[in-house]
Amino acid sequence: MTVLDEIVAGVREDLAEHKSRVPLDDVRRAAREAPPALDPMPRFLADELAVIAEVKRRSPSKGALADIADPAALAASYELGGAAAISVLTEPRRFGGSLADLDAVRAAVQIPVLRKDFMVDEYQFYEARAHGADLVLLIVAALTDDELRRFADLTGELGMTALVETHTPDEVDRALAGGFPLIGVNNRNLKTLDIDLDTFAPLARRLGSGVVRVAESGIFTPQDAARVASEGADAILVGEALVKHGDPVGAIRSFRAASER
């Protein structure tokens, strides 16, 4: 069993508990009653490289990263620094996240918020919208083509935007075949957790310029941001480097300044 398989198995166990507490009909109702989702694409399509800044306490590969007592304050700092969107880990077992973090961040910022979780069931999409998410993550490696399409359609029906994550040429081809406008390249192999920043460039070329390309993982310095920007990234998703920095406002600004194209 790969690390990805183990994480998804845990997600499904936690999901059963969520469903027992809040029935699907109630979550659907809450999703319909939530304020309209924000559109992240204008910032992602702008000339300046967009920074998706992550609220992340832990990782499966490195354990504890930061004791984030106030995720709302951290997200507000990210916004002040010029982040285009905020990513919030809501998976509790490996990442120490929660839907409460998502609620707190959504209430604190005026920019789009991504629910960063392993989305494997329609319940999670209604749940994401009910808690104020504007984007959700669809990991190609964790989904069949049918699931990818159904979940993308549901995301759109709820007014949210899907960030479709890839890691291999085959996954890129599957994402392109689906016609998705926002595609990420994860420099971390979710089956081994190894990071290789060299992953991005060839897959970005394979994606072409007809989609918004997001570089994920392995971006630890402004120089890394400048590199992937030169290789075609329209946006970067940064977590560890920001939560460990000590000056989130300055860190965001340094990533943006170094990556001017």
Side-chain angles (χ1 to χ4, degrees), residues 11-121:
V11 167
R12 291 191 184 281
E13 288 183 18
D14 293 338
L15 186 56
E17 192 272 331
H18 285 213
K19 290 179 176 179
S20 70
R21 285 191 291 106
V22 185
L24 177 59
D25 285 346
D26 290 351
V27 175
R28 282 177 170 157
R29 185 178 308 110
R32 289 194 298 267
E33 294 173 353
L38 302 177
D39 182 3
M41 296 301 280
R43 287 287 299 274
F44 293 164
L45 289 166
D47 289 338
E48 181 186 57
L49 184 86
V51 177
I52 305 171
E54 194 153 78
V55 176
K56 182 178 185 179
R57 292 189 176 88
R58 299 179 52 83
S59 79
S61 60
K62 295 189 177 180
L65 298 174
D67 181 16
I68 303 173
D70 190 345
L74 178 59
S77 295
Y78 287 160
E79 183 176 29
L80 183 61
I86 310 294
S87 171
V88 182
L89 268 301
T90 62
E91 196 279 338
R93 296 179 181 229
R94 301 288 188 116
F95 296 92
S98 70
L99 288 168
D101 289 343
L102 183 61
D103 290 335
V105 170
R106 174 68 286 160
V109 301
Q110 303 300 312
I111 56 178
V113 176
L114 164 68
R115 181 189 183 179
K116 186 89 174 295
D117 208 330
F118 296 75
M119 309 293 281
V120 295
D121 187 285

